[in-house]
Amino acid sequence: MSEQERRIPEATVARLPVYLRCLVELADERTPTISSERLADMAGVNAAKVRKDLSYLGSYGTRGVGYDVEFLLYQMSRELGLTQDWPVVVAGVGNLGQALANYGGFTDRGFPVGALVDVDPDKVGTSIAGVIVRHLDELPELVASKGIAIGIIATPPTAAQSVAEKMVEAGIGSILNFSPSVLGLDPEVSVRKVDLAVELQILSFYRRRADGPASLGPDGPQR
Amino acid sequence: MSEQERRIPEATVARLPVYLRCLVELADERTPTISSERLADMAGVNAAKVRKDLSYLGSYGTRGVGYDVEFLLYQMSRELGLTQDWPVVVAGVGNLGQALANYGGFTDRGFPVGALVDVDPDKVGTSIAGVIVRHLDELPELVASKGIAIGIIATPPTAAQSVAEKMVEAGIGSILNFSPSVLGLDPEVSVRKVDLAVELQILSFYRRRADGPASLGPDGPQR
DNA sequence: TAGATTGTTAATCGATTAACAATC
DNA sequence: TAGATTGTTAATCGATTAACAATC
């Protein structure tokens, strides 16, 4: 690791937030250093993978000692772009949208809910978790005024594509899609998809056979 | 494909539910057949991948014609174990748990909410979406009487591990974990994890660089 | 120094993709 | 038959893992 500084593999990027959460926990307990072995246990992966993943960030460990928790935490936050807040807009305040808006976990982790939008006149104007629901048409002004970085789609599937397009037009470049629709957007836009029924169907597959990889996360086996 | 009938790759299993949803849509529109090319467009993948994935199910296509929608839909449902319902229990009826209980999408896709459990005396006894919230301690009887197959963890992270263990003790073999905790369980138990903050953090990473794979699902690039 | 643990190499494994013969 | 499209092969790519020299 020296020339042509690291292109971090996709699989590694997906694990960094897991390590980050472990490090936050360790920092809370004032644990000064952590070995790849112990971090691997916490994260549910193996130690070789931890060392390889961390090596993409730089040579931040000390042989014979391990990794300095605070230092690694800082470097990882920086790499993930988490040294600043990224306000999100939730589009669609049905069951899921409301739950997401009320869910404190986003704000805690640097993703405050900056805006809520819907098209239903009964919902526009109401307040959820201290944020007033605005009409979808106001998205461009909201994105600009609140500095919205990420759009979360919690609309019915029929509306998802058009809402996504409006988000992109409004200047949003990152979308988390909770609707079951496959979005077709400019490949410049980052899209991640969370599909609850798909997760259950995958569990159903492995249940039926009861011989597949037993412990899977969205990005593969946990251990 | 003939000897030693197919061990379906994990990556393929994760895509089958996406194809399934496309097929349902096609069946609704009474489209009789579909080519790998068109199905690939709908699913947001490439045609070679579709053909390879479908070939693990068997040789269900017709050269020069494509795949019979209804027939493929049936075969895929069968392979995914979706020819029967799999009742789920949601543990933890906070914001997320309530939203999940109210979310009709599960029942629609063969995963009816058979039970809700919590430990909060203020919640136990209340009714959500027509299901009465029971105490966590009643889990074994609920699993038995309602034929619960899948446990959904929507508790605070501190409770997740112990709730998961109770689910396993009660006979549940498949768990969908919405808490940010990494679960340590018998490897026989299938676990999938949905971590909303992790998804946002991954988006944050790619936003910062704006040079990564642009369009990602939980299981990799969408297209 | 002796023990511990990293960082990196290289082997292996699994997933993707292009290409095309088979065949409807 | 001619055109279309599958099913499969083989090449390529990316991810995982064990092993161990480097070094604290």
Side-chain angles (χ1 to χ4, degrees), chain B residues 35-51:
Chain B
S35 67
S36 58
E37 191 73 52
R38 294 231 300 117
L39 185 53
D41 278 351
M42 291 182 75
V45 299
N46 75 40
K49 198 181 268 178
V50 168
R51 290 199 296 277

Side-chain angles (χ1 to χ4, degrees), chain B residues 124-154:
Chain B
V124 172
T126 63
S127 174
I128 300 173
V131 180
I132 294 171
V133 179
R134 312 290 284 277
H135 194 277
L136 176 62
D137 293 341
E138 296 180 57
L139 196 56
E141 301 91 77
L142 287 165
V143 168
S145 67
K146 309 282 181 182
I148 304 281
I150 298 175
I152 298 182
I153 297 183

